[in-house]
Amino acid sequence: TPITPEILTQISRMIDMSDSFQVALWAAIVLGFFLLLRKSNLVPISVSQFDSSKQLTCSSVKILNTVAIITLSWTKTIQSNERRVKIPVLHIPGSSISPVRALKLVKKVNGIKPHSPLLRYKKNDTWLPLTYRQLNQGFKKLVSGLGLDPTRFSSHSLRRGGATYAYKVG
């Protein structure tokens, strides 16, 4: 099922914005929705499979007040680092689901180390990348917390919901 801005807004109220895991999860959800990113650009399959040339790193993101520029050097259609895709993202004033707000928060809570995973969290004094399983399970738990059927949602709901929303708003 595609996610909607209304569901995202409800989820935003459930996030503890001081918890590094929840902040990483929230940023992955928002970025997956607004950037229409595939899971392979957001998070690795496992901690050991994090690849700074494929997944988002702190250096993949440049924030300039109300605009963020996300740079991807690998995608499903760019396999050999032959070019870079730069995606501008605008701040949504007054919105709890603003992607620029989520990016600023994840950089603030999780620190800034250029080639470290952007979507990471601290566990026992060690920083770990958010994994696909954690994203999917965390997203389903949040959706379930809203009283929605978690079996109808997955991380692909973000990309699908973002595309649906973009179409609706023209």
Side-chain angles (χ1 to χ4, degrees):
T1 301
I3 201 76
T4 65
E6 294 77 23
I7 294 172
L8 283 178
T9 299
Q10 291 175 1
I11 288 173
S12 74
R13 295 182 192 122
M14 300 169 69
I15 302 295
D16 176 352
M17 298 298 182
S18 65
D19 180 89
S20 65
F21 178 82
Q22 290 188 37
V23 167
L25 177 63
W26 174 242
I29 290 168
V30 171
L31 295 175
F33 179 82
F34 282 105
L35 298 178
L36 312 178
L37 291 178
R38 289 182 168 84
K39 66 182 180 185
S40 57
N41 283 118
L42 284 171
V43 293
I45 297 295
S46 68
V47 169
S48 64
Q49 290 181 325
F50 173 76
D51 184 339
S52 62
S53 68
K54 293 181 179 180
Q55 283 90 41
L56 294 175
T57 64
C58 289
S59 59
S60 305
V61 178
K62 302 287 185 247
I63 301 174
L64 313 163
N65 293 324
T66 60
V67 176
I69 307 295
I70 311 295
T71 303
L72 302 175
S73 56
W74 182 92
T75 67
K76 183 178 176 182
T77 58
I78 304 172
Q79 297 282 311
S80 302
N81 207 5
E82 62 269 21
R83 68 181 189 279
R84 298 196 189 297
V85 175
K86 293 186 182 234
I87 306 168
V89 183
L90 299 176
H91 174 61
I92 305 169
S95 174
S96 63
I97 65 171
S98 169
V100 174
R101 181 176 178 227
L103 285 166
K104 285 180 178 180
L105 182 63
V106 81
K107 280 193 161 196
K108 177 182 175 186
V109 171
N110 297 354
I112 300 172
K113 284 189 152 190
H115 299 291
S116 66
L118 177 69
L119 304 172
R120 67 185 189 147
Y121 65 98
K122 196 169 193 174
K123 181 178 180 181
N124 301 328
D125 293 328
T126 302
W127 287 99
L128 301 169
L130 185 71
T131 64
Y132 172 66
R133 182 173 177 216
Q134 291 169 321
L135 168 59
N136 213 37
Q137 287 180 343
F139 179 57
K140 284 177 178 279
K141 184 176 179 182
L142 290 166
V143 166
S144 179
L146 297 176
L148 301 171
D149 180 0
T151 63
R152 300 195 58 192
F153 294 89
S154 72
S155 61
H156 189 67
S157 297
L158 303 172
R159 183 173 162 85
R160 195 169 172 198
T164 301
Y165 179 68
Y167 178 78
K168 283 182 180 178
V169 298

